[in-house]
Amino acid sequence: MLLYRLGPEGFYAATDPEGDLRFLHSDPFGTQAGGWDFGRKVPEGRRTPMVPVRPSKIVGVGRNYRAHAAELDNPMPKEPLLFLKAPSSLIGPNAPVVLPPESSRVDFEGEIAVVLRDRACRISPEEARSSILGVTCACDVTARDLQRSDATFARGKSLDTFCPLGPAIAITADRDRDLEDLEVTTRVNGEERQRGHVRSMEWGILQLISYISTFMTLEPGDVVLTGTPQGVGPLAPSDRLEVEVSGVGILENPVELWQGG
Ligand code: ZN
């Protein structure tokens, strides 16, 4: 089941059990996915996906794949390395990632994003399973030079347009296996640059949600970026960036230089 927010109004729509995309009459954060109330079919001309959720915060996880930590000459942390991305960095499918004049090295980091359904405070990994709404594609765009020059990741991770997210949330709530078999692939100009599987994560999705909820309460709609696999690299103007996560679809964004204004 896929959950979309459709533009320009931001109505929720979801695929019904027959696979048809229908407007959703239920609040996806207040009801079990199995009990959703579907409305009429979404007409073809109204299927423009927006950012699928408006989180109160976006939590990032650094160095969750050993091969990626090694490629940047970083040691593996002893516990998950957490950081925050500003919600103002979010963009939806097909919106441009803008390269700012303050950085000369902006990298793509394709990632599996987890969306919370329930409030989560100091929950166990097993409780985490039922608090997750689903997963989507994200790019944790990073100004590598600013990340390295600063004591925190705040500037390097939070520039406007640095968090493409979407196109849909693949609902995993109440299904046991979906979180254990997810793969993320990143392509730039059609060429594969990254491929990672949840099996290669140092800390799995449920462990991460449990760990994060110890240090900050996760709210419904909050997003966790679960780390990037090996193969990160710089973006250039006119690049076409694609991130694909199993069962979700493809998040596609063009890249352009900041033009002022
Ligand atoms: Zn990342």
Side-chain angles (χ1 to χ4, degrees):
M1 202 183 277
L2 293 171
L3 175 69
Y4 291 87
R5 263 178 86 231
L6 300 177
E9 301 92 341
F11 292 130
Y12 280 112
T15 50
D16 69 10
E18 282 76 52
D20 290 320
L21 184 64
R22 293 182 178 276
F23 289 108
L24 188 65
H25 289 174
S26 306
D27 173 3
F29 297 97
T31 49
Q32 301 283 325
W36 283 355
D37 181 17
F38 292 95
R40 65 185 176 93
K41 278 193 198 177
V42 179
E44 286 294 339
R46 299 197 49 197
R47 299 188 169 193
T48 309
M50 305 169 67
V51 177
V53 67
R54 301 302 309 191
S56 75
K57 57 187 166 297
I58 304 163
V59 184
V61 179
R63 305 174 205 168
N64 198 22
Y65 294 80
R66 279 179 183 274
H68 166 63
E71 74 181 344
L72 294 183
D73 289 324
N74 285 320
M76 279 300 287
K78 291 191 176 63
E79 294 178 82
L81 173 63
L82 305 183
F83 60 90
L84 293 166
K85 277 176 96 76
S88 49
S89 65
L90 279 170
I91 55 170
N94 304 309
V97 172
V98 178
L99 305 178
E102 292 77 16
S103 172
S104 54
R105 168 80 190 228
V106 174
D107 279 2
F108 58 84
E109 295 188 359
E111 306 198 9
I112 298 166
V114 176
V115 181
L116 271 290
R117 179 183 63 188
D118 301 333
R119 198 155 199 264
C121 175
R122 295 183 179 273
I123 58 170
S124 68
E126 225 14 74
E127 291 168 321
R129 189 185 291 284
S130 59
S131 67
I132 292 170
L133 177 65
V135 296
T136 187
C137 313
C139 194
D140 175 21
V141 180
T142 302
R144 196 68 70 197
D145 45 1
L146 301 183
Q147 182 192 25
R148 287 197 169 123
S149 65
D150 292 3
T152 80
F153 294 176
R155 279 202 304 168
K157 294 285 191 180
S158 288
L159 283 141
D160 289 351
T161 77
F162 272 26
C163 193
L165 194 77
I169 300 169
I171 304 302
T172 60
D174 318 316
R175 299 169 191 211
D176 272 2
R177 291 191 49 83
D178 294 1
L179 291 168
E180 276 81 47
D181 190 18
L182 290 170
E183 190 169 57
V184 57
T185 311
T186 311
R187 289 179 292 271
V188 178
N189 303 324
E191 185 189 330
E192 183 173 311
R193 303 289 294 275
Q194 293 184 285
R195 182 178 285 263
H197 194 280
V198 286
R199 275 192 305 266
S200 307
M201 288 180 176
E202 189 73 7
W203 292 281
I205 288 174
L206 301 181
Q207 274 177 290
L208 284 176
I209 300 300
S210 167
Y211 182 84
I212 295 165
S213 80
T214 307
F215 299 97
M216 58 189 98
T217 297
L218 291 165
E219 302 288 351
D222 278 358
V223 171
V224 173
L225 307 185
T226 56
T228 201
Q230 180 180 23
V232 299
L235 290 168
S238 307
D239 277 350
R240 190 167 49 83
L241 175 64
E242 288 172 83
V243 179
E244 181 168 9
V245 170
S246 346
V248 174
I250 300 171
L251 170 66
E252 193 173 338
N253 297 88
V255 178
E256 59 183 45
L257 267 183
W258 190 72
Q259 299 291 347

